[in-house]
Amino acid sequence: MMGRIYLFALLTAGLFATELPAEVVTFKASPNITLGEREVPVDLALRMKDVSATRIAIESVIDLRRAQEMLIDELTGSAFVDVCDAKISVTEAVAETDDIALTLGGRIEAQVFNCEGQLGADRKRGERVYTAGLTVAASASAVLRDQCLYFSLVDLRLTPDRFPETAEAQETVAQVKDIFFKATDAIFANHPICPELPAELSSLAPTYDAGGTRELGDGGIGVFFQGSLDASTDTIIDILQVLQSKGVLPPPPK
């Protein structure tokens, strides 16, 4: 068993200049991951440990701190919601995590309008009936599904700058909360985080059975995936061929 993990360590070290500790292989890469239609930079750390003759335990940790800054800048640069009856802009945003949940905060500017016409594309925005700044406090949890992490809101609090004194104003604040909640949850649903190994190791095809958030530094956003991968002879041969194609190892004899 130990011979297999040492061989695996030796092969991956040829690609990543990895240290070779006694029972664990750890290395890092800096790929891009796709969130929706956008590629964002991340740092990926892999930790592998031999657990049986044919399986190796693997933990992938994705450091999202660089992507975190880019996405927050993008979020505050345009309208977050712009539909017939509402326009909501994010003016301040902060996101951080611990090992339990993702925490979101900031401020939004909300405008609510009368919307004329039947449901569908022909509706027209009418007069504005509400404008307010609101403070946002929210949290989201992650669940592993189809080898990806999906986030969903579990709590959302909106505090308007001015207390809504009338029942109509209170209903409008509730309407803003509902719209903001649905829009945020839809973004989470359409932007799962899926671990992708560097192309050199894509043939390993790990199977993940657990995942969640991980605090990196002081509140920095990270996520982890835990599972196992096949350490069969075919996998080792695949990596050997990659190393040979890159000139790290000599080509096979003819």
Side-chain angles (χ1 to χ4, degrees):
M1 184 183 299
M2 294 307 298
R4 185 178 296 274
I5 190 66
Y6 276 131
L7 175 59
F8 189 79
L10 179 61
L11 298 179
T12 54
L15 290 172
F16 296 94
T18 307
E19 297 293 332
L20 303 179
E23 298 181 359
V24 176
V25 180
T26 303
F27 60 85
K28 297 181 179 180
S30 296
N32 288 342
I33 64 170
T34 302
L35 293 178
E37 298 179 353
R38 183 185 178 100
E39 285 195 347
V40 294
V42 301
D43 295 307
L44 172 68
L46 298 180
R47 180 177 181 273
M48 288 171 283
K49 184 176 181 179
D50 204 8
V51 293
S52 74
T54 61
R55 302 299 292 176
I56 289 177
I58 183 170
E59 180 182 62
S60 301
V61 178
I62 300 177
D63 185 342
L64 292 165
R65 284 176 289 184
R66 287 192 294 159
Q68 177 180 344
E69 296 176 1
M70 289 176 54
L71 294 176
I72 286 177
D73 287 343
E74 187 173 283
L75 182 65
T76 56
S78 59
F80 184 70
V81 176
D82 195 354
V83 294
C84 182
D85 58 351
K87 183 175 182 180
I88 300 174
S89 300
V90 178
T91 57
E92 299 176 21
V94 62
E96 59 183 19
T97 192
D98 54 23
D99 294 341
I100 299 174
L102 177 68
T103 302
L104 307 170
R107 286 185 53 78
I108 63 173
E109 294 290 336
Q111 301 177 68
V112 177
F113 305 88
N114 285 327
C115 193
E116 303 169 352
Q118 300 296 319
L119 291 175
D122 294 332
R123 301 183 78 193
K124 294 182 179 180
R125 179 179 286 174
E127 65 175 334
R128 185 172 58 194
V129 297
Y130 179 82
T131 301
L134 302 98
T135 300
V136 179
S139 61
S141 62
V143 61
L144 182 69
R145 186 170 71 248
D146 299 328
Q147 300 296 288
C148 296
L149 274 184
Y150 287 81
F151 284 89
S152 60
L153 283 181
V154 293
D155 181 48
L156 172 63
R157 286 162 287 159
L158 294 181
T159 306
D161 293 344
R162 299 183 305 276
F163 183 78
E165 297 179 355
T166 67
E168 183 179 5
Q170 293 172 12
E171 289 178 2
T172 303
V173 171
Q175 179 185 354
V176 171
K177 179 177 179 179
D178 184 63
I179 293 171
F180 188 80
F181 188 101
K182 289 178 178 177
T184 304
D185 235 20
I187 289 175
F188 280 144
N190 292 325
H191 296 78
I193 298 175
C194 307
E196 295 183 9
L197 295 182
E200 294 88 345
L201 300 178
S202 59
S203 64
L204 299 184
T207 298
Y208 296 107
D209 51 31
T213 58
R214 178 160 297 175
E215 182 177 11
L216 301 175
D218 186 12
I221 296 178
V223 296
F224 74 90
F225 298 82
Q226 293 176 337
S228 61
L229 57 87
D230 181 11
S232 67
T233 301
D234 288 343
T235 300
I236 300 300
I237 290 175
D238 285 346
I239 298 178
L240 276 171
Q241 291 174 339
V242 170
L243 292 171
Q244 289 170 337
S245 70
K246 289 181 170 293
V248 177
L249 294 178
K254 297 182 178 180

